[in-house]
Amino acid sequence: MTSKQVAEMMQSSPADCHKALVREYGRYVYAIIYNKLRGCGTNEDIEECVSDVFADLFMKCQYDISSENDIKYLIATIAKRKAIDSFRSLCARANHMTDTDEDNMRELVSDFSVDEHVDRSELRRVLLDKIDELGEPDSTIIIQKFYYNRSSNEIAKCVSMTSNAVRVRCSRAMDKLRAKLVEIGMTI
């Protein structure tokens, strides 16, 4: 969904736009916020922060309708910043920083990134969908070769073909897969 599409939806029906955004990105935003606030905030604090993210998103899309880019990265940026601001205000409200709070603050810049994990999961899902579209036996050959790291001889036994036929089918299937991925803007 682009910010221009969101702005158009907001003009036609703001309530439907809000529902669509929350339905599509609600879990994603919640995962980012929960990852940042799980050690210091309550469920209400997390839910309030999620609401603030969507409020900021609606304001941003209302004034910047020129962008044709996917808003997922905008949402992730807003969520991370809101979570960090919430974390700081929750710690200030407690009026002291303990060692545990400092450790939690270090977690905010940890190597694990929820949004990158979600992006990789989404990429895997799209890739598996495109492999399934290849049909049998091509999808089985690709899965066995690249996911299970099986040799052509092992795959040949599974699909009742010769190993040479498996290699040829694999090569052709990879060409088809590349073409399918290019159609949706992805490259291997």
Side-chain angles (χ1 to χ4, degrees), residues 15-27:
D16 289 343
C17 179
H18 293 209
K19 288 177 187 175
L21 281 171
V22 171
R23 190 178 324 111
E24 189 167 340
Y25 298 107
R27 290 182 186 165

Side-chain angles (χ1 to χ4, degrees), residues 42-174:
T42 64
N43 285 338
E44 291 80 19
D45 295 328
I46 292 170
E47 290 172 7
E48 182 180 338
C49 191
V50 169
S51 298
D52 290 345
V53 168
F54 283 105
D56 279 5
L57 175 66
F58 298 138
M59 293 302 293
K60 174 72 174 152
C61 290
Q62 200 171 17
Y63 293 110
D64 181 20
I65 60 170
S66 62
S67 178
E68 287 292 337
N69 296 328
D70 188 357
I71 62 170
K72 185 175 188 177
Y73 300 108
L74 173 65
I75 291 172
T77 302
I78 293 171
K80 286 178 190 176
R81 290 179 181 169
K82 281 289 181 191
I84 290 170
D85 290 345
S86 258
F87 180 85
R88 289 179 181 151
S89 72
L90 288 170
C91 288
R93 204 178 311 151
N95 206 15
H96 67 282
M97 287 278 279
T98 64
D99 291 337
T100 315
D101 291 336
E102 289 176 13
D103 291 340
N104 288 337
M105 197 65 152
R106 279 189 216 107
E107 284 182 19
L108 291 175
V109 291
S110 71
D111 292 337
F112 181 76
S113 173
V114 171
D115 52 325
E116 287 176 18
H117 179 72
V118 169
D119 289 342
R120 281 193 304 269
S121 296
E122 181 71 15
L123 179 64
R124 277 189 217 113
R125 186 191 60 75
V126 168
L127 186 58
L128 285 172
D129 287 346
K130 293 301 174 186
I131 289 171
D132 282 343
E133 286 178 16
L134 294 174
E136 290 298 329
D138 294 346
S139 60
T140 300
I141 291 171
I142 296 290
I143 296 287
Q144 295 293 320
K145 178 115 178 124
F146 295 103
Y147 280 85
Y148 296 111
N149 203 23
R150 298 221 168 105
S151 69
S152 296
N153 290 332
E154 293 171 319
I155 298 169
K157 291 175 188 173
C158 291
V159 293
S160 302
M161 300 172 88
T162 65
S163 60
N164 285 339
V166 167
R167 283 191 284 276
V168 169
R169 289 297 292 245
C170 184
S171 175
R172 289 181 184 162
M174 285 300 294

